[in-house]
Amino acid sequence: TMAWLKENGPVLVLNLGSICTLVGFTRSDVLELRTLSMSGSVSAVFYFVMQEPPLKLAAIFWSSICAAVNAFKIGKILEERKTDVVLQERDEAVFVEHFMPHGVTPKQFQLL
């Protein structure tokens, strides 16, 4: 019912965000980790904003900062991933054999 949802909505949002953060910590891809972590931070902001006064400004501030940092880093990751990398044959062989199995991206390898 609407009354139940209005009363429990903030807690549902917070729990959903906490689940996103938890699942993010299980991911090996840093983009997935940051996206899910940002979702958790945004959910926390919504939770604290939906609470009865007084507002928890410190919690809103820190959750917003975490979300903003993750958003910035997500943008950098996406920018890095869309850049084409051209490796010489010898460099590509070294990359594939020694770096790729450990999760190093071609762009990261190129920057070495």
Side-chain angles (χ1 to χ4, degrees), residues 52-105:
E52 295 293 322
L55 285 178
K56 310 289 190 277
L57 293 179
I60 293 169
F61 172 78
W62 286 112
S63 293
S64 297
I65 292 294
C66 289
V69 167
N70 276 312
F72 175 77
K73 296 300 278 183
I74 287 168
K76 298 293 275 182
I77 292 167
L78 291 174
E79 182 180 314
E80 177 183 296
R81 287 187 180 182
K82 75 178 182 181
T83 305
D84 289 335
V85 175
V86 178
L87 298 174
Q88 294 179 1
E89 188 175 324
R90 183 179 63 85
D91 291 339
E92 185 174 355
V94 169
F95 168 72
V96 169
E97 185 176 345
H98 299 289
F99 290 87
M100 193 169 70
H102 301 289
V104 176
T105 66

Side-chain angles (χ1 to χ4, degrees), residues 34-56:
R34 288 200 177 273
T35 302
L36 289 164
S37 181
M38 184 180 75
S39 299
S41 295
V42 169
S43 296
V45 170
F46 283 129
Y47 170 78
F48 290 117
V49 167
M50 291 188 289
Q51 293 300 298
E52 295 293 322
L55 285 178
K56 310 289 190 277

